[in-house]
């Protein structure tokens, strides 16, 4: 499949019609037109000349270059404004000389009609011949009818207003597309590689794994890699949405699309650009525009029946009063034409896609990757959030929360001598704590790992033990030491004891550090309408209880195996809409089981591939914003639908007393279109949602 950009697409229905025609061509069965992003995917064997011919029937065409695309965008917009301006001027001229004879006035009105809507009416006439009824067909019938009964002035006004409506409709979608396009342009175009000691500039598509690239201050990193030389702060906003720079040094991973703030970095590429985190993110965001939510699918189905129903109502309005109530045929024929115009479903069709594109774009700017409009809609409907503990509410990194020493100097010296060569996470946590104090550096000898206990070692000829409670069996424990151990266990801490053959020298109480933002995030979630927050963890009861109280989740379940987490999620989904939040690896089954899977990733492949939504930061800080935006999108769509149908209903009710006119009909349609477009675009423009952080949490319940 090959992808091309399109110019001149006029509406979603027209795009769907063009797609069906292209699919009838040889090798065209798989053709797909993506109206929201203005693209078409074609089999490489399809005849492009035939595709161009089909597209030209709707005044659309393939874009050959970026320059042509940009030029066409401005040119098309300027031409429409020019034609509408001239048409309006001609119409005003006709009004000023209203007393002129019809022989003089009609050509002026006809000129205004042609200038403002000739493209629409040419398509409408073609559709009439094919007995295909859509927006252009309805407008063409209405205009022909108005001219037939001599309503030149109102017919002209209808043509001008409909042209303006089409222009504003296209402008709204263009604004949404430009917003998405600006997001997709964050990828660098070229990379400076070092080969044989020389610098060469190449397209990033030519970049290969193990290439060494040079990134100067202010330049974008071309792809994911590891720093070989240089130190700098890097702006990772393209990946994580975080504005604050991150300090990077030799050996650290970096992401393509990040900006090097200062200094010069040499980076060894670990992924070709097409496999990089940035490329995957941009591809998924682009795909997300084209997914259809249940609401959009309903609107599309409804609009297919809506137009024929409106035509039937129009026919009844024209026929019933004159035939059965002896009313004036000309007057009710005019009313029937107005009903046809009311039947244009422009506003209804636009009520959802612009809002969804705006929501997806705004979240993507914040480093929140939503893989489709359907997931955005579901996020706005979630009432229960289930959290994994380790790496989600906590940092997933052990640290010494508390320690007790009974022989301070020996305790620290022995702990450091035994743990300094270990790569175990608990050993690193102990070394981080010990390094805060002065201690004698000694070497441990004859280190022996005892399964299920810990390590035994000889230091200065004396035997010591470092491990759990099992490692100190046989040692007489004093009452004070015993109570200290019991107290730390009661707090849910993991214990590491240091002892010689006769006594305990000290105890480290280790826990998984709670993320600084977890409590405020939980508060913001509860205040934003999330009814239930649940922590699911494989950790033991005391630890789960401690974390749940600290962060403010409303309930928790401890000691769960992965399959048991899945069962708990299934139980929760019976009570409401559930989103599961985890790291995208260990929690994959639970993420897949929930109504919505949300992974914390910071660019990891597994996170991007596993979940429906990915928080590209390594924290939950922007989750409340994402939910607020999703809820806002859903509210906006409901408001848009109500406005689109409400204004049309009011216009239709005016037929009862015979007050509906052609210009009122077109204004009701244009007004609804302008309103739904502007309301949808405010999702892009509005400032960051405020978060409420002073919500009081109820005491967590446990099971």
């Amino acid at each position: 499949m090959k992808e091309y950009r399109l110019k001149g697409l006029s509406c979603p229905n027209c795009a769907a019609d063009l797609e069906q025609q292209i699919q009838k061509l040889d090798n065209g069965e798989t053709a797909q037109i993506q109206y929201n992003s203005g693209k078409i995917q074609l089999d490489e064997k399809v005849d492009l000349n035939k595709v161009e011919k089909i597209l030209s029937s709707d005044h659309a065409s393939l874009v050959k270059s970026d320059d042509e695309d940009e030029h066409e965008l401005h040119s098309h917009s300027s031409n429409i404004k020019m034609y509408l301006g001239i048409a309006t001027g001609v119409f005003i001229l006709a009004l000023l000389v209203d007393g002129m004879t019809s022989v003089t006035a009609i050509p002026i009105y006809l000129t205004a009609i042609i200038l403002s809507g000739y493209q629409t009416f040419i398509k409408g006439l073609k559709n009439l011949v094919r007995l295909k009824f859509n927006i252009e067909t309805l407008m063409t019938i209405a205009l022909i009818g108005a001219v037939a009964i001599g309503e030149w002035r109102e017919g002209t006004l209808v043509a001008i207003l409909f042209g303006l409506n089409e222009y504003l409709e296209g402008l709204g979608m263009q604004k949404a597309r430009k917003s998405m396009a600006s997001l997709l342009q964050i990828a660098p175009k070229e990379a400076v590689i070092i080969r044989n000691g020389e610098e060469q500039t190449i397209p990033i598509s030519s970049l290969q794994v193990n290439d060494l690239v040079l990134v100067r201050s202010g330049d974008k990193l071309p792809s994911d890699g590891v720093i070989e030389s240089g130190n700098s702060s890097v702006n990772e906003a393209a990946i994580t949405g975080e504005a604050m720079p991150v300090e990077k040094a030799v050996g650290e991973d970096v992401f393509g699309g990040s900006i090097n703030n200062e200094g010069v970095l040499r980076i060894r590429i670990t992924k070709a650009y097409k496999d990089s985190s940035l490329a995957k993110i941009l591809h998924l965001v682009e795909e997300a525009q084209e997914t259809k939510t249940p609401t959009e699918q309903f609107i599309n189905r409804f609009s297919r029946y809506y137009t024929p129903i409106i035509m039937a109502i129009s026919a009844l309005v024209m026929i019933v009063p004159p035939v059965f109530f002896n009313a004036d045929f000309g007057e009710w024929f005019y009313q029937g034409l107005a009903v046809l115009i009311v039947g244009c479903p422009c506003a209804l069709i636009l009520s959802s896609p612009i809002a969804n594109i705006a929501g997806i774009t705004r979240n993507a700017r914040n480093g929140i990757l939503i893989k489709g409009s359907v997931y955005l809609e579901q996020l706005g409907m979630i009432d229960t959030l289930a959290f994994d503990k380790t790496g989600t509410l906590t940092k997933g990194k052990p640290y010494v929360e508390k320690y007790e020493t009974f022989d301070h100097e020996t305790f620290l010296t022995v702990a450091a001598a035994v743990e300094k060569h270990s790569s175990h996470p608990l050993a690193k946590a102990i070394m981080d704590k010990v390094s805060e104090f002065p201690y004698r550096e000694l070497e441990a000898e004859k280190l022996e790992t005892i399964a299920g206990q810990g390590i035994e070692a000889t230091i200065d000829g004396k035997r010591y033990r470092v491990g759990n409670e099992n490692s100190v069996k046989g040692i007489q424990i004093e009452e004070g030491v015993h109570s200290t151990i019991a107290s730390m266990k009661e707090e849910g801490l993991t214990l590491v004891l240091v002892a010689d053959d006769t006594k305990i020298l000290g105890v480290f109480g280790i826990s998984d550090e709670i993320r600084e933002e977890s409590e405020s995030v939980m508060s913001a979630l509860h205040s934003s309408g999330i009814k239930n927050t649940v922590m699911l963890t494989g950790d033991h009861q005391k630890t789960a209880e401690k974390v749940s109280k600290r962060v403010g989740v409303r309930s928790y379940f401890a000691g769960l195996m992965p399959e048991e987490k899945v069962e708990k999620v299934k139980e929760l989904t019976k009570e409401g809409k559930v989103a599961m939040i985890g790291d995208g690896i260990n929690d994959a089954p639970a993420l897949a089981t929930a109504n919505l899977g949300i992974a914390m990733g910071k660019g990891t492949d597994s996170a991007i591939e596993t979940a429906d939504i990915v928080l590209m930061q390594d924290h939950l800080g922007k989750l409340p914003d994402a939910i607020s935006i999703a809820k806002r999108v859903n509210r906006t769509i409901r408001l848009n639908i109500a406005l689109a149908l409400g204004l049309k209903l009011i216009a239709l009710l005016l037929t009862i007393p015979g007050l509906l006119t052609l210009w009122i009909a077109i204004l009701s349609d244009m007004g609804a279109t302008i309103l739904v477009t502007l309301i949808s675009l405010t999702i892009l423009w509005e400032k960051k949602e405020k978060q409420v952080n002073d919500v009081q949490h109820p005491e967590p319940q446990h099971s």
Side-chain angles (χ1 to χ4, degrees):
M1 296 288 286
K2 195 169 182 179
E3 188 174 81
Y4 300 88
R5 286 195 307 282
L6 291 173
K7 60 185 179 184
L9 284 180
S10 56
C11 68
N13 284 342
C14 302
D17 180 47
L18 293 172
E19 180 181 275
Q20 290 173 7
Q21 292 183 56
I22 293 171
Q23 286 173 346
K24 294 176 183 178
L25 298 175
D26 292 339
N27 304 307
E29 299 85 358
T30 57
Q32 285 187 331
I33 291 181
Q34 299 168 344
Y35 173 71
N36 290 346
S37 53
K39 293 188 176 183
I40 182 172
Q41 291 183 335
L42 296 169
D43 188 298
E44 293 185 1
K45 297 178 183 177
V46 74
D47 189 332
L48 287 181
N49 291 327
K50 292 181 179 179
V51 171
E52 286 275 23
K53 186 175 181 180
I54 292 171
L55 291 172
S56 66
S57 68
D58 193 53
H59 303 280
S61 60
L62 301 177
V63 174
K64 302 297 192 302
S65 68
D66 291 344
D67 291 340
E68 179 189 348
D69 190 27
E70 190 67 23
H71 173 74
E72 174 66 23
L73 193 65
H74 295 295
S75 174
H76 181 66
S77 178
S78 299
N79 287 342
I80 292 176
K81 284 192 286 187
M82 181 184 69
Y83 290 141
L84 284 173
I86 294 173
T88 304
V90 171
F91 180 65
I92 292 172
L93 173 65
L95 292 179
L96 290 174
V97 289
D98 195 38
M100 69 177 71
T101 63
S102 59
V103 175
T104 309
I106 289 175
I108 295 177
Y109 284 128
L110 187 61
T111 301
I113 290 171
I114 292 171
L115 284 170
S116 58
Y118 72 96
Q119 291 185 349
T120 297
F121 304 121
I122 289 172
K123 286 189 283 186
L125 288 171
K126 289 180 180 178
N127 289 338
L128 265 178
V129 173
R130 293 184 294 175
L131 296 179
K132 180 183 176 183
F133 299 101
N134 59 14
I135 297 168
E136 287 84 5
T137 314
L138 294 181
M139 290 304 302
T140 302
I141 293 173
L143 186 66
I144 291 172
V147 170
I149 60 175
E151 294 288 347
W152 282 95
R153 182 191 300 175
E154 292 206 11
T156 305
L157 183 58
V158 165
I160 292 173
L161 291 178
F162 184 74
L164 179 61
N165 188 49
E166 291 280 280
Y167 169 68
L168 292 172
E169 179 183 328
L171 203 62
M173 183 56 74
Q174 178 184 317
K175 173 67 179 174
R177 283 179 187 154
K178 282 180 70 177
S179 176
M180 180 64 75
S182 65
L183 176 73
L184 300 178
Q185 286 171 1
I186 60 176
K189 300 289 187 277
E190 296 177 327
V192 178
I193 65 168
I194 301 173
R195 287 180 180 166
N196 301 321
E198 295 183 358
E199 296 179 15
Q200 299 177 26
T201 301
I202 63 170
I204 60 168
S205 56
S206 303
L207 207 58
Q208 298 177 3
V209 175
N210 289 325
D211 276 345
L212 183 64
V213 299
L214 184 72
V215 183
R216 296 183 174 88
S217 176
D219 289 347
K220 292 180 181 178
L221 279 62
S223 189
D224 297 358
V226 177
I227 297 177
E228 280 207 356
S229 69
N231 295 280
S232 180
S233 63
V234 174
N235 185 336
E236 295 183 339
I239 300 293
T240 67
E242 301 282 17
M244 293 301 292
V246 181
E247 294 297 328
K248 295 287 184 178
V250 173
E252 292 194 81
D253 293 329
V254 288
F255 298 112
S258 304
I259 299 173
N260 178 22
N261 286 331
E262 71 268 342
V264 177
L265 296 176
R266 283 180 171 79
I267 297 169
R268 185 68 64 181
I269 297 300
T270 55
K271 291 179 183 175
Y273 173 73
K274 63 183 176 63
D275 299 320
S276 70
S277 300
L278 180 63
K280 288 182 179 180
I281 291 168
L282 298 183
H283 177 67
L284 288 170
V285 168
E286 199 168 16
E287 280 189 337
Q289 299 178 76
E290 303 304 327
T291 60
K292 300 292 184 186
T293 68
T295 301
E296 285 180 303
Q297 290 170 351
F298 169 75
I299 289 172
N300 289 339
R301 288 195 301 271
F302 179 75
S303 63
R304 283 201 294 269
Y305 298 105
Y306 175 77
T307 302
I309 289 171
I310 286 294
M311 293 190 69
I313 293 173
S314 174
L316 290 173
V317 169
M318 291 177 181
I319 296 169
V320 172
V323 173
F324 294 99
F325 301 100
N326 203 29
D328 180 68
F329 176 77
E331 179 184 340
W332 286 98
F333 183 79
Y334 176 86
Q335 292 281 307
L337 293 178
V339 170
L340 275 182
I341 295 174
V342 172
C344 295
C346 301
L348 188 63
I349 292 170
L350 281 178
S351 61
S352 183
I354 294 179
N356 279 322
I357 291 174
I360 290 170
T361 303
R362 187 169 162 196
N363 274 310
R365 286 175 182 167
N366 287 338
I368 300 160
L369 174 60
I370 298 178
K371 293 186 179 179
S373 299
V374 63
Y375 304 121
L376 182 67
E377 181 176 85
Q378 287 179 7
L379 183 63
M381 299 166 65
I382 290 298
D383 53 31
T384 299
L385 282 171
F387 297 87
D388 172 47
K389 178 184 76 69
T390 306
T392 304
L393 295 174
T394 65
K395 293 183 177 180
K397 180 182 177 183
Y399 83 112
V400 176
E401 181 177 320
K402 183 179 287 188
Y403 73 97
E404 193 70 40
T405 175
F406 308 110
D407 184 341
H408 188 72
E409 184 176 353
T410 308
F411 169 56
L412 296 178
T413 299
V414 171
V418 173
E419 301 286 31
K420 67 181 178 181
H421 298 300
S422 174
S423 60
H424 193 283
L426 294 184
K428 290 184 176 180
I430 289 171
M431 287 305 300
D432 287 342
K433 175 56 68 174
V434 171
S435 64
E436 296 176 7
F437 306 96
Y439 64 91
R440 287 194 304 147
E441 289 195 34
L442 298 176
E443 288 298 326
E445 301 173 344
K446 300 179 182 178
L447 279 80
E448 181 182 0
T449 301
I450 311 298
Q453 294 185 18
I455 298 174
E456 289 190 6
T458 300
I459 301 172
D460 279 349
K462 190 173 181 179
R463 200 69 176 163
Y464 293 95
R465 312 172 191 184
V466 179
N468 58 26
E469 286 183 90
N470 291 331
S471 68
V472 296
K473 283 182 179 178
I475 295 177
Q476 185 67 37
I477 302 177
E478 297 176 6
E479 184 60 34
V481 177
H482 191 276
S483 63
T484 297
I485 292 173
S487 173
M488 286 188 175
K489 288 172 64 177
E490 187 67 22
E491 293 178 37
L493 300 173
T494 299
L495 303 187
V496 175
L497 296 89
V498 180
D500 58 22
D501 288 334
T502 60
K503 63 181 183 299
I504 294 177
L505 305 173
V507 184
F508 291 105
I510 298 175
S511 69
D512 185 1
E513 188 173 1
I514 294 172
R515 292 181 180 276
E516 295 86 352
E517 77 282 355
S518 292
E519 185 177 358
S520 60
V521 163
M522 216 58 60
S523 173
L525 290 172
H526 291 149
S527 66
S528 70
I530 298 298
K531 296 176 182 177
N532 192 20
T533 48
V534 185
M535 184 176 73
L536 307 178
T537 179
D539 219 328
H540 51 78
Q541 185 79 12
K542 290 296 180 182
T543 301
E545 181 180 3
K546 172 186 170 184
V547 173
S548 67
K549 285 183 178 179
R550 283 276 302 276
V551 303
V553 292
R554 289 181 170 167
S555 59
Y556 67 86
F557 297 91
L560 299 179
M561 300 295 287
E563 60 272 16
E564 292 173 319
K565 285 187 181 182
V566 171
E567 291 304 314
K568 287 296 178 187
V569 170
K570 285 181 180 178
E571 290 175 18
L572 291 169
T573 55
K574 294 176 183 177
E575 301 171 6
K577 293 282 186 182
V578 180
M580 175 70 192
I581 305 171
D583 62 11
I585 307 171
N586 301 329
D587 298 301
L591 289 171
T593 304
N595 300 109
L596 199 62
I598 303 176
M600 295 177 60
K602 201 169 184 180
T604 57
D605 292 344
S606 54
I608 292 174
E609 292 164 6
T610 302
D612 307 314
I613 296 174
V614 182
L615 308 178
M616 301 307 294
Q617 314 85 23
D618 195 26
H619 59 76
L620 295 170
K622 296 195 176 179
L623 179 60
D625 270 351
I627 292 175
S628 295
I629 292 168
K631 286 180 179 291
R632 176 137 191 241
V633 168
N634 287 354
R635 287 196 304 270
T636 298
I637 291 171
R638 289 194 295 269
L639 175 62
N640 286 347
I641 292 171
L643 284 171
L645 294 178
L647 287 174
K648 290 181 182 298
L649 179 60
I650 292 170
L652 288 174
L653 289 175
L654 289 175
T655 60
I656 297 173
L659 298 176
L660 183 63
T661 62
L662 290 178
W663 67 268
I664 289 178
I666 192 66
L667 279 176
S668 73
D669 182 65
M670 185 175 77
T673 301
I674 293 171
L675 281 174
V676 302
T677 300
L678 291 179
I679 291 170
S680 296
L681 289 175
T682 59
I683 295 170
L684 283 173
W685 298 335
E686 189 163 318
K687 293 180 181 179
K688 189 176 180 181
E689 312 282 346
K690 290 184 180 179
Q691 295 183 12
V692 180
N693 295 318
D694 56 355
V695 177
Q696 297 296 317
H697 303 301
E699 191 71 17
Q701 304 165 352
H702 65 83
S703 302

